Amino acid sequence: MQRNPLSRLALFGTVACSVMCSLTLLAGCGDKGAGGGGGASDTGPIKVGFYGDLTGSTATFGKSSQEGIELALEEINKQPPLGRPLELISEDDQGKPQNATTAVNKLTSQDQVVAVLGEVASSRSLAAAPTCQNAKIPMITPASTNPEVTRVGDYIFRICFIDPFQGSVMAKFALGTLKAKRAAILWDVKNDYSKGLQQFFKETFTAGGGQVVSEPSFSEGDTNFDAQLNTIKQAKPDVIFVPGYYTEVGTIARQARDQGITIPLLGGDGWDSPKLFEGAGNALEGCYMSNHYSAESDAPEVQTFIAAYKAKFGGKVPDAMAALGFDAAKILADAITRAGGTDSEKLRDAIGQTKDYSGVTGKITLDDKRNANKAAVVMRIKGKEFKYVETVNP
Ligand code: PHE
């Protein structure tokens, strides 16, 4: 591990240290001369970090976003910013917040990336963002929607909407379109995203005249939801809002139907995975979720992206994670060009000035809180597909 100079000192002693320190200083000089920062030299590839869950219980999140980023880099590198190709260094955090911190530590100190893309899940972004902030390495999360994430500091950005909006979209949909008066909420206490949406949905639903009649919780990794579903059943809701990730949501849906609960389940972007249906079978037929993009859109940005993604990844239709990863990488490349270099402060400012960027997931303008103000789509599940219902503007 090169990240702690003190441990080097202990390991190699004073003589070795003085050699290494002078090497470090030299490298530092080179960076400054190039307007460097991020530890990169002024020639050769520009290193960009990525961290995500590639092997854990939300592995489709990490894989999809990584694929979206890889596709973007392939396109970017045909005409690279500053004439230097972007090189991606990926870290698997296995979906664990503590591993996310370790991964970002490695990316920022050992690999010396100029910026970090990730995480997608809010709890993992929250765990690792302080490391980027302290290292002054800009981090762009493609998909973390919990409001706290970008509050970590001025180096932390997102290119997606936030959950006070997403929660209100589904609450209004339940009240207005489904005419629901009574809602239950089944949420994950271990997941910041889920906790946030539970609160934001409730605020809008009750403000709109609805009543939240039951709100039991579970913990990520649980596999039996019978007790919570039984409590919910007794409370006689019209809908159940389940702001969780696809692995648990699939099981919850199947167990709800097994208990004879037939009312619609509603959710958010965390449902979006081709694996949702492995757990759910057909238990989510006719249910609704909010999301960042619809593959059915005929916008040229969307259709060009889908065609390129399918060509690169064996005909697969990209999910929202892939689209957001793609947009995040393109926005970073655009900011590097506008910054005219990789100096971390200049890069931070250039990312923050992103304005009217026409992404796959919509027009992206970052506000002074480093969030994007974007529309959401409501999707309905039919077979094993998400079908477009409507677009909701902020
Ligand atoms: N918004 C989720 C979070 O903050 C992550 C997510 C985004 C999941 C998009 C699926 C699709 O944790």
Side-chain angles (χ1 to χ4, degrees):
M1 280 270 162
Q2 293 181 8
R3 92 176 98 98
N4 184 353
L6 284 176
S7 68
R8 278 187 207 151
L9 203 142
L11 273 174
F12 302 111
T14 342
V15 177
C17 174
S18 61
V19 173
M20 294 184 98
C21 291
S22 31
L23 285 176
T24 312
L25 279 178
L26 280 174
C29 287
D31 290 340
K32 291 222 177 72
S41 61
D42 58 345
T43 54
I46 296 173
K47 289 190 204 166
V48 173
F50 164 80
Y51 67 116
D53 178 2
L54 298 171
T55 52
S57 74
T58 54
T60 74
F61 289 173
K63 281 190 209 132
S64 289
S65 45
Q66 190 183 34
E67 286 173 358
I69 292 168
E70 281 170 0
L71 175 61
L73 258 50
E74 196 177 286
E75 293 181 7
I76 291 160
N77 286 342
K78 286 180 185 154
Q79 271 190 316
L82 321 174
R84 295 167 57 193
L86 299 190
E87 179 192 320
L88 192 67
I89 302 176
S90 290
E91 290 294 323
D92 176 13
D93 63 27
Q94 301 170 307
K96 298 184 184 134
Q98 65 274 30
N99 292 12
T101 309
T102 313
V104 167
N105 251 318
K106 172 183 174 283
L107 290 169
T108 52
S109 32
Q110 186 174 321
D111 300 321
Q112 306 210 322
V113 298
V114 303
V116 171
L117 299 172
E119 233 267 16
V120 292
S122 291
S123 296
R124 273 105 74 173
S125 286
L126 279 167
T131 304
C132 286
Q133 180 64 30
N134 292 337
K136 294 195 167 32
I137 300 295
M139 169 179 137
I140 306 177
T141 169
S144 288
T145 45
N146 185 278
E148 293 304 322
V149 174
T150 46
R151 289 185 189 145
V152 168
D154 60 348
Y155 278 84
I156 314 299
F157 300 87
R158 85 178 98 219
I159 57 137
C160 54
F161 52 65
I162 57 174
D163 285 332
F165 170 63
Q166 178 166 219
S168 78
V169 166
M170 284 325 274
K172 285 181 186 158
F173 186 80
L175 288 164
T177 306
L178 303 179
K179 309 284 174 219
K181 301 250 178 303
R182 300 163 63 82
I185 306 175
L186 181 50
W187 57 287
D188 182 348
V189 277
K190 274 210 209 148
N191 179 331
D192 293 298
Y193 156 81
S194 192
K195 261 190 259 180
L197 273 181
Q198 176 252 349
Q199 178 198 333
F200 305 128
F201 176 94
K202 187 177 176 179
E203 277 168 17
T204 307
F205 194 74
T206 49
Q211 198 189 345
V212 172
V213 293
S214 175
E215 41 190 330
S217 63
F218 61 93
S219 284
E220 186 196 320
D222 286 357
T223 51
N224 186 324
F225 305 91
D226 282 341
Q228 293 94 324
L229 288 165
N230 191 44
T231 307
I232 288 175
K233 199 174 162 182
Q234 307 302 321
K236 299 198 176 10
D238 303 318
V239 293
I240 310 174
F241 183 55
V242 193
Y245 292 157
Y246 63 90
T247 307
E248 285 85 12
V249 170
T251 312
I252 288 168
R254 208 170 11 82
Q255 292 179 2
R257 302 313 178 214
D258 288 348
Q259 283 209 23
I261 298 173
T262 56
I263 55 173
L265 269 51
L266 310 179
D269 54 358
W271 285 22
D272 187 13
S273 168
K275 295 230 161 149
L276 176 67
F277 304 103
E278 282 181 14
N282 60 7
L284 285 171
E285 187 68 25
C287 292
Y288 298 91
M289 46 110 54
S290 49
N291 210 347
H292 303 265
Y293 113 110
S294 160
E296 287 171 68
S297 158
D298 54 14
E301 290 85 359
V302 175
Q303 288 311 321
T304 310
F305 164 69
I306 292 176
Y309 184 93
K310 280 185 166 173
K312 189 170 165 70
F313 299 108
K316 250 193 313 185
V317 178
D319 58 18
M321 283 282 178
L324 288 164
F326 181 85
D327 282 349
K330 289 273 176 123
I331 284 173
L332 174 61
D334 180 59
I336 292 173
T337 306
R338 282 184 286 111
T342 55
D343 172 79
S344 78
E345 251 177 62
K346 287 194 186 129
L347 185 53
R348 174 200 64 188
D349 293 345
I351 296 169
Q353 283 151 11
T354 299
K355 200 168 181 296
D356 290 332
Y357 179 85
S358 286
V360 175
T361 58
K363 268 251 180 331
I364 299 171
T365 296
L366 296 191
D367 64 20
D368 59 356
K369 300 201 167 77
R370 299 169 300 283
N371 298 323
N373 205 10
K374 288 161 81 186
V377 290
V378 177
M379 309 292 282
R380 182 175 202 264
I381 290 167
K382 185 161 188 282
K384 290 192 162 111
E385 281 176 69
F386 303 99
K387 292 282 178 195
Y388 175 78
V389 177
E390 64 181 29
T391 300
V392 183
N393 289 306

